[in-house]
Amino acid sequence: MTNKILKYSSAFLLLTTIVFSGCKKLDDINHDPTKPTTADPQYLLAGAQKNAMDVLYSGLQNGYIGTHYAQYWSGNSRTDDSRYKLDEGNNSTLWNNLYRISLNNLNNVVRQNGNKLDDPKIAAQTAIARITACWIYQVLADAYGNLPYSSTFQLDAGNITPAYDDAQTVYARLIDTLQAQIKILDVTKGTLATGDVIYLGSADKWNKLAHSLLLRIAIRMADTNDAKAREIIEANYQQAFTSNDDNALFTYLNAAPNKFPFNDSEREISDFFVSATLVDYMKSVADPRLAIYARPSKDDQVVNGMPYGWASADKTRPAPGKFSYPGKQIYSAVMPGILMDYAEVEFILAEAAARGMNVGDAATHYTNGIKASIGFWKKLADDRSIDDSAINSYIAKVPYNASDWRNVIGTQKWLALYPQGLQGWFERTRLNFKKPGGEALFIAPVSGSMDPSTPFVPYRLTYLISEQTVNKTSYENAAKAIGGDVKGTKLWFNKF
């Protein structure tokens, strides 16, 4: 079924190219491609999901931005990105593809289905589209800060320069939207909607994901609005993911054009090395996932990370063969795109409990998170060397410590989020964690940052350069509101 959906959705990925911001020829658009004649909703939904996963796991966006800023990987020959020089092409593709294609497709699904919601399957499909959009909007809000939200997709009303909404206000709207979709999916329980690749249309599975996404949103605001975070988490955690069977995964196929977007099935990928930050810490605690996360170096046949941000022009840097590429599973053609998984939910609940929320025992959730992550990778990579004894031995090396919860939970959550670069980066900056015990985990780029505003880690991506001309007033208002359009500007949830 997934094969059939992807086969037909691929042709529709580029049908909806409305550009409400960042377009050079907005005034040339004389029709509204969001009208319901463009494509069948099921293919728009599948296309939106695939496009979002493709860009979020592309080597250009996940590789040169997400995994760099999370300090999972570092560049091989192209190292300016590791030193925080943001490639504008990669940046604009992230923004434009999520808005132009994915969010536009999803908006089109909602429009086309608007007068057919008495049909449970269509109601469920619409709810799935709205939940998918909430996921994407949170990614954009966490990457950029203030962003177009309430006035997007209004070309038919003549609005080609949408205002930027306050990111904290967008969060509130996303919460409202997810809660509304949960009510709809409660009514359509057992329904199978068409067009969904992630859960093959299961309203019940999407219901769990909506509750889980509410947890992600809530914990990210915990240092800013603890009361609201507590309210959301305590109200939703019992309906969220409870095992790896609930994981929200986009299934890729071992056939073009539906392979994992950054795979080495047809060529060697030499763009990135795993970072010494990741490898050295995993080695220090004998993490059983290391052999999956990274492969042995060519020269020494051992896993060896490269110190982060080491310029290729530095003549003291060892030859590339000394360092390890990401693991074979990470570059597999059938590596799934991870939207959210059970391990993340457990680490959210561990943190919530550590903060005093009524969600159970922090140590239990923490242990569950580690077991869930290792179990996921063991099954995915079919690594039979990882048994219960190895897992229990590992957990004994990284025990929960209530007095050091930020570092203990933060480190394990960061490991579990690999290779979700953007999510790992968001949590790195939000929690500002170190190794358990307080020793520094992350480093500044070895060869120095190329961005004066960002000596240690970026807190956001800059808005598209094109916005400064095609949407000048909105851009200037947004830049002023957040405190300056530079990567060193902390977003509203960054308090450390």
Side-chain angles (χ1 to χ4, degrees):
M1 183 174 181
T2 300
N3 190 21
K4 182 179 179 181
I5 293 172
L6 288 175
K7 176 181 177 181
Y8 288 102
S9 68
S10 295
F12 292 96
L13 274 175
L14 297 176
L15 276 178
T16 51
T17 56
I18 173 177
V19 186
F20 51 84
S21 60
C23 178
K24 296 180 180 179
K25 297 184 178 181
L26 284 169
D27 54 347
D28 291 343
I29 299 176
N30 57 12
H31 69 285
D32 185 353
T34 63
K35 295 299 184 185
T37 56
T38 52
D40 189 292
Q42 66 175 318
Y43 303 128
L44 289 171
L45 175 59
Q49 291 178 350
K50 184 177 187 298
N51 172 75
M53 286 294 181
D54 283 355
V55 73
L56 290 175
Y57 285 97
S58 164
L60 299 178
Q61 284 73 42
N62 190 47
Y64 283 113
I65 300 175
T67 62
H68 276 32
Y69 294 1
Q71 212 160 120
Y72 292 139
W73 298 350
S74 193
N76 178 2
S77 58
R78 172 177 160 174
T79 53
D80 286 358
D81 306 80
S82 308
R83 301 172 61 198
Y84 307 143
K85 183 179 180 181
L86 181 62
D87 182 285
E88 182 61 15
N90 294 347
N91 186 33
S92 62
T93 297
L94 177 65
W95 173 284
N96 285 331
N97 280 26
L98 291 180
Y99 269 117
R100 290 185 191 182
I101 303 175
S102 290
L103 289 172
N104 191 43
N105 276 16
L106 296 167
N107 181 67
N108 204 353
V109 172
V110 173
R111 286 191 178 194
Q112 291 193 45
N113 289 349
N115 61 355
K116 307 172 187 177
L117 298 180
D118 289 340
D119 184 330
K121 289 187 177 181
I122 293 179
Q125 183 187 68
T126 306
I128 290 169
R130 290 188 184 276
I131 294 167
T132 305
C134 286
W135 159 57
I136 295 171
Y137 272 120
Q138 189 192 3
V139 170
L140 288 165
D142 292 349
Y144 294 95
N146 293 5
L147 73 162
Y149 180 79
S150 60
S151 58
T152 55
F153 309 113
Q154 294 181 352
L155 182 62
D156 51 350
N159 183 6
I160 61 174
T161 55
Y164 285 55
D165 293 80
D166 171 74
Q168 196 165 355
T169 302
V170 171
Y171 258 52
R173 294 283 298 276
L174 297 180
I175 290 169
D176 291 343
T177 300
L178 287 170
Q179 289 173 332
Q181 305 324 301
I182 287 169
K183 292 179 181 178
I184 293 170
L185 294 175
D186 283 341
V187 174
T188 58
K189 187 175 182 180
T191 300
L192 292 178
T194 58
D196 166 41
V197 181
I198 294 170
Y199 287 129
L200 300 182
S202 170
D204 300 349
K205 290 287 189 180
W206 277 94
N207 195 322
K208 279 193 170 186
L209 175 59
H211 285 287
S212 301
L213 286 172
L214 282 167
L215 300 186
R216 176 187 279 177
I217 289 172
I219 204 65
R220 208 150 279 166
M221 67 167 70
D223 286 317
T224 300
N225 190 341
D226 179 76
K228 186 64 175 179
R230 177 187 298 269
E231 173 192 330
I232 296 298
I233 290 172
E234 291 182 354
N236 288 276
Y237 82 96
Q238 291 180 313
Q239 294 81 39
F241 293 167
T242 57
S243 77
N244 280 332
D245 291 339
D246 296 325
N247 291 348
L249 307 175
F250 186 94
T251 301
Y252 282 97
L253 308 174
N254 193 17
N258 296 316
K259 294 182 179 182
F260 184 70
F262 202 57
N263 72 85
D264 62 1
S265 63
E266 298 175 5
R267 65 177 180 89
E268 179 183 75
I269 297 177
S270 59
D271 304 63
F272 309 108
F273 298 122
V274 286
S275 73
T277 304
L278 179 73
V279 171
D280 291 354
Y281 181 73
M282 295 183 81
K283 282 184 175 180
S284 74
V285 291
D287 194 310
R289 293 166 290 190
L290 179 57
I292 302 172
Y293 284 13
R295 66 186 79 187
S297 64
K298 289 186 175 181
D299 289 355
D300 302 327
Q301 291 301 304
V302 295
V303 175
N304 189 28
M306 190 180 82
Y308 179 78
W310 200 349
S312 56
D314 188 336
K315 294 182 180 180
T316 67
R317 201 183 90 170
K322 293 290 185 181
F323 302 114
S324 294
Y325 294 146
K328 292 182 179 180
Q329 179 60 52
I330 307 303
Y331 282 172
S332 169
V334 293
M335 173 70 190
I338 304 169
L339 191 161
M340 190 174 188
D341 61 21
Y342 168 55
E344 181 181 352
V345 168
E346 286 290 1
F347 286 120
I348 290 171
L349 297 180
E351 180 181 343
R355 290 176 178 272
M357 299 181 196
N358 185 25
V359 295
D361 178 62
T364 300
H365 287 305
Y366 169 78
T367 300
N368 288 345
I370 295 174
K371 289 182 176 179
S373 176
I374 296 175
F376 169 76
W377 287 105
K378 173 186 176 180
K379 181 178 180 180
L380 188 65
D382 192 24
D383 189 336
R384 300 178 187 181
S385 69
I386 302 175
D387 56 20
D388 289 345
S389 176
I391 295 172
N392 291 332
S393 176
Y394 174 67
I395 292 172
K397 292 183 178 72
V398 290
Y400 179 72
N401 182 348
S403 65
D404 194 28
W405 68 261
R406 188 177 291 270
N407 295 328
V408 171
I409 296 172
T411 303
Q412 284 299 321
K413 187 176 184 181
W414 173 73
L415 291 171
L417 285 171
Y418 182 87
Q420 301 174 66
L422 291 178
Q423 294 300 328
W425 168 42
F426 300 152
E427 289 300 273
R428 175 189 173 185
T429 60
R430 179 184 72 87
L431 283 169
N432 190 33
F433 57 88
K434 299 177 175 61
K435 296 178 184 178
E439 181 184 348
L441 173 64
F442 302 105
I443 64 170
V446 169
S447 299
S449 172
M450 298 180 72
D451 183 340
S453 77
T454 310
F456 190 70
V457 62
Y459 288 93
R460 59 179 296 275
L461 302 180
T462 48
Y463 295 127
L464 275 58
I465 292 175
S466 59
E467 285 289 275
Q468 298 175 26
T469 54
V470 301
N471 197 10
K472 186 174 187 293
T473 299
S474 296
Y475 163 79
E476 290 177 346
N477 289 340
K480 181 179 179 181
I482 65 173
D485 183 25
V486 294
K487 295 197 289 298
T489 297
K490 289 186 177 184
L491 299 180
W492 65 280
F493 57 80
N494 291 130
K495 296 300 180 182
F496 297 96

